[in-house]
Amino acid sequence: MIFKKQIIKGVFLITPDLHKDNRGVFRRHFCKKEFSKNGISSKIIQANISENKFKHTLRGFHYQTGKYSEGKIVSCIKGEIYDIVVDLRKESKTYMKWESVTLDSDKRNALYVPPGCANAYLTIVSNTIVHYYMSELYAPNSYQGFSYKDPEFNFMWPADVKHISQKDENLPNYLESIKQKR
């Protein structure tokens, strides 16, 4: 596995070493030793799968705070997504900055999102399947989210959002969301 540091500290784009033969392809998707060697917590408590029927479906921005702050390993098992990570760690040099990556099933790449960062993604093709490893359980009292249209960040999405949950559509801007939680 190749771990490429991204601009935001603690975010890694992970590319697998592929082993191909006449049967197909084998790859390691997770390795505690390799993650630890790169300073990434290898604690996995939950795994989730998101099946997205339609092209241009948006999910996020979601994250958890406090003792339930979570790290995520995000992989696109089928299809392609455009994922944005936002650094929400006040002590970080990249606080309130964001960066984006494309994850797709052909590249077989993954993204590590550390605790204290939020992420959202937009599907690029129909019938996209996304897999997440989570370092914490879902804790409703710790959950927070904010709008994908937040003008504070000026996100650059590759296409217009066509499919979104009512919950995600109605999320407040980030600064409003943290005021509401106080």
Side-chain angles (χ1 to χ4, degrees), residues 97-117:
K97 302 286 187 222
W98 63 273
E99 66 181 305
S100 62
V101 298
T102 299
L103 302 177
D104 71 64
S105 54
D106 290 337
K107 291 179 187 165
R108 298 172 175 94
N109 54 1
L111 179 68
Y112 177 72
V113 180
C117 293

PDB file of all heavy atoms in Angstrom, residues 97-117:
ATOM      1  N   LYS A  97      -9.630  24.911   6.068  1.00  0.00           N
ATOM      2  CA  LYS A  97      -9.210  24.692   4.681  1.00  0.00           C
ATOM      3  C   LYS A  97      -9.800  23.364   4.213  1.00  0.00           C
ATOM      4  O   LYS A  97     -10.118  22.485   5.013  1.00  0.00           O
ATOM      5  CB  LYS A  97      -7.685  24.632   4.559  1.00  0.00           C
ATOM      6  CG  LYS A  97      -6.980  25.871   5.069  1.00  0.00           C
ATOM      7  CD  LYS A  97      -7.145  27.024   4.120  1.00  0.00           C
ATOM      8  CE  LYS A  97      -6.290  28.189   4.581  1.00  0.00           C
ATOM      9  NZ  LYS A  97      -6.938  29.449   4.486  1.00  0.00           N
ATOM     10  N   TRP A  98      -9.908  23.219   2.895  1.00  0.00           N
ATOM     11  CA  TRP A  98     -10.422  21.976   2.342  1.00  0.00           C
ATOM     12  C   TRP A  98      -9.589  21.535   1.155  1.00  0.00           C
ATOM     13  O   TRP A  98      -8.876  22.332   0.559  1.00  0.00           O
ATOM     14  CB  TRP A  98     -11.891  22.114   1.964  1.00  0.00           C
ATOM     15  CG  TRP A  98     -12.204  23.114   0.877  1.00  0.00           C
ATOM     16  CD1 TRP A  98     -12.445  24.454   1.042  1.00  0.00           C
ATOM     17  CD2 TRP A  98     -12.314  22.864  -0.527  1.00  0.00           C
ATOM     18  NE1 TRP A  98     -12.701  25.037  -0.173  1.00  0.00           N
ATOM     19  CE2 TRP A  98     -12.631  24.089  -1.157  1.00  0.00           C
ATOM     20  CE3 TRP A  98     -12.174  21.725  -1.309  1.00  0.00           C
ATOM     21  CZ2 TRP A  98     -12.810  24.193  -2.537  1.00  0.00           C
ATOM     22  CZ3 TRP A  98     -12.362  21.831  -2.686  1.00  0.00           C
ATOM     23  CH2 TRP A  98     -12.677  23.062  -3.280  1.00  0.00           C
ATOM     24  N   GLU A  99      -9.700  20.256   0.856  1.00  0.00           N
ATOM     25  CA  GLU A  99      -9.079  19.697  -0.341  1.00  0.00           C
ATOM     26  C   GLU A  99      -9.959  18.578  -0.860  1.00  0.00           C
ATOM     27  O   GLU A  99     -10.788  18.031  -0.131  1.00  0.00           O
ATOM     28  CB  GLU A  99      -7.656  19.228  -0.078  1.00  0.00           C
ATOM     29  CG  GLU A  99      -7.505  18.066   0.873  1.00  0.00           C
ATOM     30  CD  GLU A  99      -6.040  17.708   1.064  1.00  0.00           C
ATOM     31  OE1 GLU A  99      -5.342  17.452   0.069  1.00  0.00           O
ATOM     32  OE2 GLU A  99      -5.608  17.681   2.227  1.00  0.00           O
ATOM     33  N   SER A 100      -9.761  18.241  -2.123  1.00  0.00           N
ATOM     34  CA  SER A 100     -10.610  17.229  -2.742  1.00  0.00           C
ATOM     35  C   SER A 100      -9.773  16.154  -3.418  1.00  0.00           C
ATOM     36  O   SER A 100      -8.631  16.402  -3.818  1.00  0.00           O
ATOM     37  CB  SER A 100     -11.532  17.870  -3.775  1.00  0.00           C
ATOM     38  OG  SER A 100     -10.764  18.454  -4.816  1.00  0.00           O
ATOM     39  N   VAL A 101     -10.357  14.977  -3.522  1.00  0.00           N
ATOM     40  CA  VAL A 101      -9.756  13.862  -4.260  1.00  0.00           C
ATOM     41  C   VAL A 101     -10.879  13.115  -4.969  1.00  0.00           C
ATOM     42  O   VAL A 101     -12.040  13.193  -4.572  1.00  0.00           O
ATOM     43  CB  VAL A 101      -8.976  12.872  -3.353  1.00  0.00           C
ATOM     44  CG1 VAL A 101      -7.825  13.545  -2.653  1.00  0.00           C
ATOM     45  CG2 VAL A 101      -9.889  12.192  -2.371  1.00  0.00           C
ATOM     46  N   THR A 102     -10.496  12.404  -6.010  1.00  0.00           N
ATOM     47  CA  THR A 102     -11.438  11.519  -6.693  1.00  0.00           C
ATOM     48  C   THR A 102     -11.073  10.092  -6.326  1.00  0.00           C
ATOM     49  O   THR A 102      -9.907   9.701  -6.405  1.00  0.00           O
ATOM     50  CB  THR A 102     -11.363  11.724  -8.222  1.00  0.00           C
ATOM     51  OG1 THR A 102     -11.707  13.084  -8.506  1.00  0.00           O
ATOM     52  CG2 THR A 102     -12.327  10.801  -8.943  1.00  0.00           C
ATOM     53  N   LEU A 103     -12.064   9.351  -5.892  1.00  0.00           N
ATOM     54  CA  LEU A 103     -11.887   7.937  -5.579  1.00  0.00           C
ATOM     55  C   LEU A 103     -12.702   7.153  -6.590  1.00  0.00           C
ATOM     56  O   LEU A 103     -13.843   7.514  -6.878  1.00  0.00           O
ATOM     57  CB  LEU A 103     -12.385   7.615  -4.169  1.00  0.00           C
ATOM     58  CG  LEU A 103     -11.747   8.379  -3.015  1.00  0.00           C
ATOM     59  CD1 LEU A 103     -12.414   8.002  -1.698  1.00  0.00           C
ATOM     60  CD2 LEU A 103     -10.253   8.125  -2.949  1.00  0.00           C
ATOM     61  N   ASP A 104     -12.116   6.100  -7.134  1.00  0.00           N
ATOM     62  CA  ASP A 104     -12.898   5.297  -8.074  1.00  0.00           C
ATOM     63  C   ASP A 104     -12.494   3.833  -8.036  1.00  0.00           C
ATOM     64  O   ASP A 104     -11.401   3.485  -7.598  1.00  0.00           O
ATOM     65  CB  ASP A 104     -12.864   5.876  -9.488  1.00  0.00           C
ATOM     66  CG  ASP A 104     -11.546   5.748 -10.192  1.00  0.00           C
ATOM     67  OD1 ASP A 104     -11.119   4.603 -10.444  1.00  0.00           O
ATOM     68  OD2 ASP A 104     -10.955   6.786 -10.524  1.00  0.00           O
ATOM     69  N   SER A 105     -13.408   3.019  -8.488  1.00  0.00           N
ATOM     70  CA  SER A 105     -13.199   1.573  -8.427  1.00  0.00           C
ATOM     71  C   SER A 105     -12.120   1.102  -9.392  1.00  0.00           C
ATOM     72  O   SER A 105     -11.500   0.063  -9.153  1.00  0.00           O
ATOM     73  CB  SER A 105     -14.515   0.836  -8.684  1.00  0.00           C
ATOM     74  OG  SER A 105     -15.107   1.253  -9.893  1.00  0.00           O
ATOM     75  N   ASP A 106     -11.849   1.835 -10.454  1.00  0.00           N
ATOM     76  CA  ASP A 106     -10.766   1.446 -11.363  1.00  0.00           C
ATOM     77  C   ASP A 106      -9.394   1.666 -10.723  1.00  0.00           C
ATOM     78  O   ASP A 106      -8.514   0.828 -10.842  1.00  0.00           O
ATOM     79  CB  ASP A 106     -10.851   2.224 -12.686  1.00  0.00           C
ATOM     80  CG  ASP A 106     -12.034   1.799 -13.540  1.00  0.00           C
ATOM     81  OD1 ASP A 106     -12.524   0.654 -13.369  1.00  0.00           O
ATOM     82  OD2 ASP A 106     -12.493   2.612 -14.363  1.00  0.00           O
ATOM     83  N   LYS A 107      -9.218   2.789 -10.025  1.00  0.00           N
ATOM     84  CA  LYS A 107      -7.945   3.066  -9.349  1.00  0.00           C
ATOM     85  C   LYS A 107      -7.819   2.275  -8.053  1.00  0.00           C
ATOM     86  O   LYS A 107      -6.723   2.115  -7.535  1.00  0.00           O
ATOM     87  CB  LYS A 107      -7.821   4.557  -9.036  1.00  0.00           C
ATOM     88  CG  LYS A 107      -7.647   5.424 -10.260  1.00  0.00           C
ATOM     89  CD  LYS A 107      -7.547   6.882  -9.847  1.00  0.00           C
ATOM     90  CE  LYS A 107      -7.543   7.795 -11.048  1.00  0.00           C
ATOM     91  NZ  LYS A 107      -7.807   9.185 -10.693  1.00  0.00           N
ATOM     92  N   ARG A 108      -8.973   1.894  -7.492  1.00  0.00           N
ATOM     93  CA  ARG A 108      -9.019   1.119  -6.250  1.00  0.00           C
ATOM     94  C   ARG A 108      -8.386   1.880  -5.080  1.00  0.00           C
ATOM     95  O   ARG A 108      -7.857   1.279  -4.149  1.00  0.00           O
ATOM     96  CB  ARG A 108      -8.352  -0.241  -6.428  1.00  0.00           C
ATOM     97  CG  ARG A 108      -9.026  -1.119  -7.453  1.00  0.00           C
ATOM     98  CD  ARG A 108      -8.209  -2.377  -7.717  1.00  0.00           C
ATOM     99  NE  ARG A 108      -8.870  -3.305  -8.601  1.00  0.00           N
ATOM    100  CZ  ARG A 108      -8.675  -3.348  -9.921  1.00  0.00           C
ATOM    101  NH1 ARG A 108      -7.843  -2.498 -10.501  1.00  0.00           N
ATOM    102  NH2 ARG A 108      -9.327  -4.222 -10.657  1.00  0.00           N
ATOM    103  N   ASN A 109      -8.409   3.203  -5.145  1.00  0.00           N
ATOM    104  CA  ASN A 109      -7.783   4.003  -4.095  1.00  0.00           C
ATOM    105  C   ASN A 109      -8.739   4.233  -2.928  1.00  0.00           C
ATOM    106  O   ASN A 109      -9.926   3.939  -3.009  1.00  0.00           O
ATOM    107  CB  ASN A 109      -7.253   5.330  -4.660  1.00  0.00           C
ATOM    108  CG  ASN A 109      -8.302   6.129  -5.416  1.00  0.00           C
ATOM    109  OD1 ASN A 109      -9.464   5.747  -5.531  1.00  0.00           O
ATOM    110  ND2 ASN A 109      -7.898   7.246  -5.965  1.00  0.00           N
ATOM    111  N   ALA A 110      -8.191   4.730  -1.837  1.00  0.00           N
ATOM    112  CA  ALA A 110      -8.951   5.002  -0.622  1.00  0.00           C
ATOM    113  C   ALA A 110      -8.458   6.318  -0.033  1.00  0.00           C
ATOM    114  O   ALA A 110      -7.396   6.825  -0.403  1.00  0.00           O
ATOM    115  CB  ALA A 110      -8.776   3.870   0.385  1.00  0.00           C
ATOM    116  N   LEU A 111      -9.231   6.854   0.883  1.00  0.00           N
ATOM    117  CA  LEU A 111      -8.905   8.124   1.528  1.00  0.00           C
ATOM    118  C   LEU A 111      -9.030   7.945   3.028  1.00  0.00           C
ATOM    119  O   LEU A 111     -10.046   7.435   3.514  1.00  0.00           O
ATOM    120  CB  LEU A 111      -9.877   9.207   1.051  1.00  0.00           C
ATOM    121  CG  LEU A 111      -9.697  10.597   1.629  1.00  0.00           C
ATOM    122  CD1 LEU A 111      -8.388  11.218   1.140  1.00  0.00           C
ATOM    123  CD2 LEU A 111     -10.879  11.476   1.246  1.00  0.00           C
ATOM    124  N   TYR A 112      -7.981   8.351   3.756  1.00  0.00           N
ATOM    125  CA  TYR A 112      -8.080   8.371   5.209  1.00  0.00           C
ATOM    126  C   TYR A 112      -8.398   9.788   5.643  1.00  0.00           C
ATOM    127  O   TYR A 112      -7.672  10.733   5.314  1.00  0.00           O
ATOM    128  CB  TYR A 112      -6.781   7.900   5.881  1.00  0.00           C
ATOM    129  CG  TYR A 112      -6.895   8.005   7.388  1.00  0.00           C
ATOM    130  CD1 TYR A 112      -7.699   7.117   8.091  1.00  0.00           C
ATOM    131  CD2 TYR A 112      -6.265   9.018   8.076  1.00  0.00           C
ATOM    132  CE1 TYR A 112      -7.856   7.233   9.467  1.00  0.00           C
ATOM    133  CE2 TYR A 112      -6.408   9.137   9.451  1.00  0.00           C
ATOM    134  CZ  TYR A 112      -7.212   8.246  10.139  1.00  0.00           C
ATOM    135  OH  TYR A 112      -7.376   8.367  11.495  1.00  0.00           O
ATOM    136  N   VAL A 113      -9.509   9.930   6.389  1.00  0.00           N
ATOM    137  CA  VAL A 113      -9.959  11.219   6.937  1.00  0.00           C
ATOM    138  C   VAL A 113      -9.774  11.133   8.448  1.00  0.00           C
ATOM    139  O   VAL A 113     -10.425  10.322   9.113  1.00  0.00           O
ATOM    140  CB  VAL A 113     -11.446  11.479   6.597  1.00  0.00           C
ATOM    141  CG1 VAL A 113     -11.907  12.810   7.173  1.00  0.00           C
ATOM    142  CG2 VAL A 113     -11.677  11.410   5.086  1.00  0.00           C
ATOM    143  N   PRO A 114      -8.875  11.952   9.031  1.00  0.00           N
ATOM    144  CA  PRO A 114      -8.600  11.830  10.464  1.00  0.00           C
ATOM    145  C   PRO A 114      -9.698  12.454  11.330  1.00  0.00           C
ATOM    146  O   PRO A 114     -10.499  13.265  10.847  1.00  0.00           O
ATOM    147  CB  PRO A 114      -7.293  12.609  10.624  1.00  0.00           C
ATOM    148  CG  PRO A 114      -7.328  13.626   9.546  1.00  0.00           C
ATOM    149  CD  PRO A 114      -8.040  12.974   8.390  1.00  0.00           C
ATOM    150  N   PRO A 115      -9.730  12.081  12.612  1.00  0.00           N
ATOM    151  CA  PRO A 115     -10.661  12.727  13.537  1.00  0.00           C
ATOM    152  C   PRO A 115     -10.452  14.244  13.498  1.00  0.00           C
ATOM    153  O   PRO A 115      -9.325  14.723  13.363  1.00  0.00           O
ATOM    154  CB  PRO A 115     -10.256  12.162  14.904  1.00  0.00           C
ATOM    155  CG  PRO A 115      -9.592  10.860  14.591  1.00  0.00           C
ATOM    156  CD  PRO A 115      -8.891  11.080  13.279  1.00  0.00           C
ATOM    157  N   GLY A 116     -11.547  14.970  13.591  1.00  0.00           N
ATOM    158  CA  GLY A 116     -11.470  16.424  13.558  1.00  0.00           C
ATOM    159  C   GLY A 116     -11.672  17.005  12.170  1.00  0.00           C
ATOM    160  O   GLY A 116     -11.660  18.212  11.996  1.00  0.00           O
ATOM    161  N   CYS A 117     -11.840  16.153  11.193  1.00  0.00           N
ATOM    162  CA  CYS A 117     -12.117  16.595   9.824  1.00  0.00           C
ATOM    163  C   CYS A 117     -13.487  16.058   9.406  1.00  0.00           C
ATOM    164  O   CYS A 117     -13.916  15.011   9.872  1.00  0.00           O
ATOM    165  CB  CYS A 117     -11.056  16.082   8.854  1.00  0.00           C
ATOM    166  SG  CYS A 117      -9.422  16.816   9.117  1.00  0.00           S
TER     167      CYS A 117
END
